[in-house]
Amino acid sequence: MAKVSMTVNGKAASGDVEGRTLLSAFLREELGLTGTHVGCDTSQCGACVVHVDGQAVKACTMLALEAEGSEVATIEGQANADGSLNTIQQAFQDHHGLQCGFCTPGMVMSAAALLKDNPKPSEGEIRDYLEGNLCRCTGYHNIVKAIMAASGQDVSSIAAE
Amino acid sequence: MLFGKDDKMYEFEFEKPSTVAEAVAALADEDAQALGGGQTLIPTLKQRLAMPSKLVSLTGIDGMKGVSGGDGMLSIGGATTHAEVAEAAADAYPALAALAGQIGDPAVRNRGTIGGSLANNDPAACYPAAALGSGATIMTNRREITADDYFRGLFETALEDGEIITAVRFPVPQKASYQKFLQPASRFALVGVFAAKYAAGVRVAVTGASEEGVFRWNEAEAALDADFTPEALDGLSVDAGSMMADLHGSKAYRAHLVGVMAKRAVAAAA
């Protein structure tokens, strides 16, 4: 076992982990932050996307010890300080960007990473960026619409489905 | 605290050195394994297809990161992520940057590294096509290896035990393009062709297709040397017998795609 320390959602966090402990397991089982979902555990579904030093990564495909000293952001830290949903989260609610909700934490974290680098993405750019986030309710259309709306763009021309 | 979900991987020690020399020393242990971004190795470990005693992370070695260039060469540190290459090489070598920007998905590109990709030499990976198609030089802690000598078949390379890719040096071509026919689930290349035009001649490298891994299509290179147009490839084909076959594409389908993607690469070369 080795000690790992990082900042998670702005707070210092540390714990004892094995070499093989994944970042997703550290977040979920040591810190109790179960909003980071483990869907496939084979690096394909993107439900476990978190930010490490500002970059979207799959927490199931990174060792916890690799995040030593890093700034980690998870879905639990996305809401506004008063507890209200942030712009992206609210847009997902407004535009029905989720059905069962399992993929949603990863979708929101990927969307946040995209909008940080590309504040006004086109529909095509959003779909391209989400290629590593799978939704098995086939909800992509409204997810894309929600991200368009969250970026302040007019979505009235995108048909509801 | 138990981490039951991690039992899927065999136990290993973990080290994260900050210099190449420290990494080399750490890799001297029997069954030690270098870890790049882990986007292939960690899934492999989860399937218990490997049992290293120790993983030596290369991502803490600052001297192995970044993109630098000059005099017609572009040098990329072995621990540089695909996302960094996509951004930092965009002006100096646009075809290479575009290739890096199409690997996997954004989260994979934020972790995966060029050194990890080349060391693994997956037969459907993108970077081997760029390295072979550019006549790149693989720089290690021990020596320099030309791309023509480096790739040795499926998941086989010239790397020896404990040898680390510290950097990859790419000669910048007059024009080049990489065209990938996506395997839509994995985002690997079902077939990918990298075509590059140099003063010394054209190089065409094909990934995803052959049972022997990445290869140069010499016949296409000769035709394109004479006439760098898609039409110059009319009538040329690779031997379907040596192609891979799986549920996504037969040997004949892959052989056909090689010709199609090569023409697209020549047409798109810039």
Short mmCIF file of all heavy atoms in Angstrom, two decimals, chain B residues 93-96 98 173-179 193-198 202-204 224 227-230 233 261-270:
data_model
loop_
_atom_site.label_atom_id
_atom_site.label_comp_id
_atom_site.label_asym_id
_atom_site.label_seq_id
_atom_site.Cartn_x
_atom_site.Cartn_y
_atom_site.Cartn_z
N TYR B 93 3.51 20.03 -38.74
CA TYR B 93 3.26 18.78 -39.46
C TYR B 93 1.77 18.46 -39.34
O TYR B 93 1.38 17.62 -38.53
CB TYR B 93 4.12 17.66 -38.85
CG TYR B 93 4.25 16.41 -39.70
CD1 TYR B 93 5.22 15.46 -39.43
CD2 TYR B 93 3.38 16.14 -40.77
CE1 TYR B 93 5.36 14.31 -40.19
CE2 TYR B 93 3.50 15.00 -41.53
CZ TYR B 93 4.48 14.08 -41.23
OH TYR B 93 4.59 12.93 -41.99
N PRO B 94 0.95 19.15 -40.16
CA PRO B 94 -0.51 19.04 -40.00
C PRO B 94 -1.04 17.62 -40.13
O PRO B 94 -1.98 17.25 -39.41
CB PRO B 94 -1.06 19.92 -41.13
CG PRO B 94 0.06 20.77 -41.60
CD PRO B 94 1.34 20.10 -41.22
N ALA B 95 -0.49 16.82 -41.04
CA ALA B 95 -1.01 15.45 -41.21
C ALA B 95 -0.78 14.62 -39.96
O ALA B 95 -1.62 13.81 -39.57
CB ALA B 95 -0.36 14.78 -42.41
N LEU B 96 0.35 14.82 -39.32
CA LEU B 96 0.65 14.09 -38.09
C LEU B 96 -0.27 14.55 -36.96
O LEU B 96 -0.79 13.73 -36.18
CB LEU B 96 2.12 14.30 -37.70
CG LEU B 96 2.58 13.54 -36.45
CD1 LEU B 96 2.56 12.04 -36.67
CD2 LEU B 96 3.98 14.00 -36.06
N ALA B 98 -3.22 15.83 -37.30
CA ALA B 98 -4.58 15.34 -37.59
C ALA B 98 -4.71 13.87 -37.20
O ALA B 98 -5.74 13.46 -36.65
CB ALA B 98 -4.90 15.53 -39.06
N PRO B 173 7.46 16.19 -44.22
CA PRO B 173 7.34 16.03 -45.68
C PRO B 173 6.85 17.30 -46.38
O PRO B 173 6.40 18.25 -45.73
CB PRO B 173 6.30 14.91 -45.80
CG PRO B 173 5.45 15.06 -44.60
CD PRO B 173 6.33 15.60 -43.50
N GLN B 174 6.93 17.26 -47.73
CA GLN B 174 6.37 18.36 -48.52
C GLN B 174 4.86 18.37 -48.36
O GLN B 174 4.24 19.42 -48.23
CB GLN B 174 6.76 18.18 -49.99
CG GLN B 174 8.25 18.29 -50.22
CD GLN B 174 8.67 17.77 -51.60
OE1 GLN B 174 7.88 17.15 -52.32
NE2 GLN B 174 9.91 18.02 -51.96
N LYS B 175 4.28 17.19 -48.41
CA LYS B 175 2.85 17.06 -48.11
C LYS B 175 2.57 15.64 -47.68
O LYS B 175 3.32 14.71 -48.01
CB LYS B 175 1.99 17.46 -49.32
CG LYS B 175 2.30 16.75 -50.61
CD LYS B 175 1.20 17.05 -51.62
CE LYS B 175 1.66 17.83 -52.82
NZ LYS B 175 0.59 17.97 -53.83
N ALA B 176 1.48 15.50 -46.94
CA ALA B 176 1.15 14.17 -46.41
C ALA B 176 -0.31 14.16 -45.97
O ALA B 176 -0.93 15.22 -45.78
CB ALA B 176 2.04 13.83 -45.21
N SER B 177 -0.84 12.97 -45.83
CA SER B 177 -2.17 12.80 -45.25
C SER B 177 -2.32 11.39 -44.71
O SER B 177 -1.73 10.45 -45.24
CB SER B 177 -3.26 13.06 -46.30
OG SER B 177 -4.55 12.81 -45.75
N TYR B 178 -3.10 11.28 -43.66
CA TYR B 178 -3.47 9.97 -43.11
C TYR B 178 -4.96 9.81 -43.25
O TYR B 178 -5.73 10.69 -42.83
CB TYR B 178 -3.08 9.89 -41.63
CG TYR B 178 -3.50 8.59 -40.95
CD1 TYR B 178 -2.97 7.37 -41.33
CD2 TYR B 178 -4.43 8.61 -39.91
CE1 TYR B 178 -3.34 6.20 -40.71
CE2 TYR B 178 -4.80 7.44 -39.26
CZ TYR B 178 -4.25 6.23 -39.67
OH TYR B 178 -4.63 5.07 -39.04
N GLN B 179 -5.37 8.73 -43.87
CA GLN B 179 -6.80 8.47 -44.04
C GLN B 179 -7.14 7.16 -43.35
O GLN B 179 -6.56 6.11 -43.66
CB GLN B 179 -7.16 8.42 -45.52
CG GLN B 179 -7.00 9.76 -46.22
CD GLN B 179 -7.99 10.82 -45.74
OE1 GLN B 179 -9.18 10.54 -45.60
NE2 GLN B 179 -7.52 12.03 -45.47
N VAL B 193 -4.19 4.49 -44.03
CA VAL B 193 -3.05 4.66 -44.94
C VAL B 193 -2.44 6.04 -44.72
O VAL B 193 -3.15 7.05 -44.73
CB VAL B 193 -3.47 4.50 -46.42
CG1 VAL B 193 -2.29 4.80 -47.34
CG2 VAL B 193 -4.00 3.09 -46.66
N PHE B 194 -1.13 6.06 -44.50
CA PHE B 194 -0.39 7.31 -44.36
C PHE B 194 0.48 7.47 -45.61
O PHE B 194 1.31 6.61 -45.90
CB PHE B 194 0.50 7.25 -43.12
CG PHE B 194 1.01 8.60 -42.68
CD1 PHE B 194 0.39 9.30 -41.66
CD2 PHE B 194 2.10 9.18 -43.30
CE1 PHE B 194 0.85 10.54 -41.25
CE2 PHE B 194 2.58 10.44 -42.90
CZ PHE B 194 1.94 11.11 -41.87
N ALA B 195 0.24 8.53 -46.36
CA ALA B 195 1.04 8.81 -47.56
C ALA B 195 1.77 10.12 -47.37
O ALA B 195 1.18 11.12 -46.96
CB ALA B 195 0.13 8.89 -48.79
N ALA B 196 3.08 10.11 -47.64
CA ALA B 196 3.89 11.32 -47.44
C ALA B 196 4.84 11.49 -48.63
O ALA B 196 5.50 10.53 -49.05
CB ALA B 196 4.69 11.21 -46.14
N LYS B 197 4.90 12.73 -49.13
CA LYS B 197 5.77 13.04 -50.27
C LYS B 197 6.99 13.81 -49.77
O LYS B 197 6.85 14.91 -49.23
CB LYS B 197 5.00 13.88 -51.29
CG LYS B 197 5.75 14.16 -52.58
CD LYS B 197 4.83 14.89 -53.56
CE LYS B 197 5.43 14.93 -54.96
NZ LYS B 197 6.64 15.77 -55.03
N TYR B 198 8.15 13.19 -49.94
CA TYR B 198 9.42 13.82 -49.57
C TYR B 198 10.22 14.10 -50.84
O TYR B 198 9.98 13.49 -51.90
CB TYR B 198 10.23 12.89 -48.66
CG TYR B 198 9.66 12.75 -47.27
CD1 TYR B 198 8.72 11.77 -46.98
CD2 TYR B 198 10.05 13.61 -46.25
CE1 TYR B 198 8.19 11.63 -45.71
CE2 TYR B 198 9.51 13.49 -44.97
CZ TYR B 198 8.59 12.50 -44.70
OH TYR B 198 8.06 12.39 -43.44
N VAL B 202 8.33 9.18 -52.27
CA VAL B 202 7.05 9.03 -51.57
C VAL B 202 7.12 7.80 -50.66
O VAL B 202 7.72 6.78 -51.02
CB VAL B 202 5.90 8.87 -52.59
CG1 VAL B 202 4.57 8.58 -51.88
CG2 VAL B 202 5.78 10.12 -53.46
N ARG B 203 6.49 7.91 -49.48
CA ARG B 203 6.37 6.76 -48.59
C ARG B 203 4.88 6.53 -48.32
O ARG B 203 4.13 7.48 -48.07
CB ARG B 203 7.11 7.00 -47.27
CG ARG B 203 8.63 7.09 -47.43
CD ARG B 203 9.30 7.40 -46.11
NE ARG B 203 9.24 6.29 -45.17
CZ ARG B 203 10.24 5.44 -44.94
NH1 ARG B 203 11.39 5.56 -45.59
NH2 ARG B 203 10.10 4.46 -44.07
N VAL B 204 4.48 5.27 -48.37
CA VAL B 204 3.09 4.88 -48.11
C VAL B 204 3.11 3.77 -47.07
O VAL B 204 3.69 2.71 -47.31
CB VAL B 204 2.39 4.39 -49.40
CG1 VAL B 204 0.96 3.94 -49.08
CG2 VAL B 204 2.38 5.48 -50.46
N LEU B 224 3.63 6.48 -57.18
CA LEU B 224 3.45 7.86 -56.74
C LEU B 224 4.72 8.68 -56.90
O LEU B 224 4.66 9.92 -57.05
CB LEU B 224 2.96 7.90 -55.28
CG LEU B 224 1.57 7.31 -55.05
CD1 LEU B 224 1.29 7.14 -53.56
CD2 LEU B 224 0.50 8.19 -55.70
N ASP B 227 4.20 9.90 -60.30
CA ASP B 227 3.03 10.76 -60.51
C ASP B 227 2.23 10.77 -59.22
O ASP B 227 1.49 9.82 -58.94
CB ASP B 227 2.19 10.19 -61.68
CG ASP B 227 0.91 10.98 -61.89
OD1 ASP B 227 0.82 12.13 -61.41
OD2 ASP B 227 -0.01 10.43 -62.54
N PHE B 228 2.32 11.84 -58.43
CA PHE B 228 1.65 11.89 -57.13
C PHE B 228 0.19 12.31 -57.32
O PHE B 228 -0.20 13.43 -56.98
CB PHE B 228 2.40 12.84 -56.18
CG PHE B 228 1.97 12.68 -54.73
CD1 PHE B 228 2.46 11.64 -53.96
CD2 PHE B 228 1.08 13.58 -54.15
CE1 PHE B 228 2.07 11.49 -52.63
CE2 PHE B 228 0.69 13.44 -52.82
CZ PHE B 228 1.18 12.39 -52.07
N THR B 229 -0.59 11.40 -57.87
CA THR B 229 -2.03 11.62 -58.03
C THR B 229 -2.75 10.33 -57.66
O THR B 229 -2.18 9.23 -57.76
CB THR B 229 -2.40 11.96 -59.49
OG1 THR B 229 -2.12 10.82 -60.32
CG2 THR B 229 -1.62 13.16 -59.99
N PRO B 230 -4.01 10.43 -57.26
CA PRO B 230 -4.77 9.22 -56.95
C PRO B 230 -4.84 8.27 -58.15
O PRO B 230 -4.80 7.04 -57.98
CB PRO B 230 -6.16 9.75 -56.59
CG PRO B 230 -5.94 11.16 -56.17
CD PRO B 230 -4.78 11.67 -56.97
N LEU B 233 -2.55 5.27 -58.81
CA LEU B 233 -2.74 4.01 -58.10
C LEU B 233 -3.77 3.11 -58.79
O LEU B 233 -4.01 1.99 -58.34
CB LEU B 233 -3.19 4.28 -56.65
CG LEU B 233 -2.19 5.07 -55.81
CD1 LEU B 233 -2.78 5.39 -54.44
CD2 LEU B 233 -0.89 4.29 -55.64
N MET B 261 -8.22 3.85 -49.45
CA MET B 261 -7.69 4.81 -48.48
C MET B 261 -6.39 5.44 -48.97
O MET B 261 -6.11 6.60 -48.67
CB MET B 261 -7.51 4.15 -47.10
CG MET B 261 -8.77 3.52 -46.51
SD MET B 261 -10.28 4.51 -46.65
CE MET B 261 -10.01 5.72 -45.38
N ALA B 262 -5.61 4.67 -49.72
CA ALA B 262 -4.37 5.25 -50.28
C ALA B 262 -4.71 6.36 -51.27
O ALA B 262 -4.09 7.43 -51.27
CB ALA B 262 -3.55 4.15 -50.98
N LYS B 263 -5.70 6.13 -52.11
CA LYS B 263 -6.12 7.18 -53.06
C LYS B 263 -6.63 8.42 -52.32
O LYS B 263 -6.32 9.55 -52.68
CB LYS B 263 -7.21 6.64 -53.99
CG LYS B 263 -6.68 5.71 -55.07
CD LYS B 263 -7.79 5.36 -56.05
CE LYS B 263 -7.25 4.45 -57.14
NZ LYS B 263 -8.28 4.12 -58.14
N ARG B 264 -7.41 8.17 -51.28
CA ARG B 264 -7.93 9.31 -50.50
C ARG B 264 -6.79 10.08 -49.84
O ARG B 264 -6.83 11.32 -49.76
CB ARG B 264 -8.90 8.81 -49.42
CG ARG B 264 -10.23 8.34 -49.98
CD ARG B 264 -11.19 8.01 -48.84
NE ARG B 264 -12.38 7.34 -49.34
CZ ARG B 264 -13.33 6.83 -48.56
NH1 ARG B 264 -13.23 6.91 -47.25
NH2 ARG B 264 -14.38 6.23 -49.09
N ALA B 265 -5.79 9.35 -49.37
CA ALA B 265 -4.66 10.02 -48.71
C ALA B 265 -3.89 10.89 -49.70
O ALA B 265 -3.51 12.03 -49.39
CB ALA B 265 -3.72 8.98 -48.08
N VAL B 266 -3.68 10.37 -50.90
CA VAL B 266 -2.97 11.16 -51.91
C VAL B 266 -3.79 12.39 -52.29
O VAL B 266 -3.27 13.51 -52.40
CB VAL B 266 -2.66 10.29 -53.15
CG1 VAL B 266 -2.09 11.15 -54.27
CG2 VAL B 266 -1.69 9.17 -52.78
N ALA B 267 -5.11 12.18 -52.46
CA ALA B 267 -5.97 13.30 -52.83
C ALA B 267 -6.00 14.38 -51.75
O ALA B 267 -6.08 15.57 -52.05
CB ALA B 267 -7.39 12.79 -53.11
N ALA B 268 -5.94 13.97 -50.50
CA ALA B 268 -6.05 14.91 -49.38
C ALA B 268 -4.72 15.48 -48.94
O ALA B 268 -4.68 16.40 -48.10
CB ALA B 268 -6.71 14.20 -48.19
N ALA B 269 -3.61 14.96 -49.48
CA ALA B 269 -2.28 15.36 -48.99
C ALA B 269 -2.09 16.86 -49.11
O ALA B 269 -2.37 17.45 -50.16
CB ALA B 269 -1.20 14.61 -49.75
N ALA B 270 -1.62 17.46 -48.04
CA ALA B 270 -1.40 18.92 -48.03
C ALA B 270 -0.19 19.22 -47.17
O ALA B 270 0.23 18.40 -46.37
CB ALA B 270 -2.61 19.63 -47.48
#
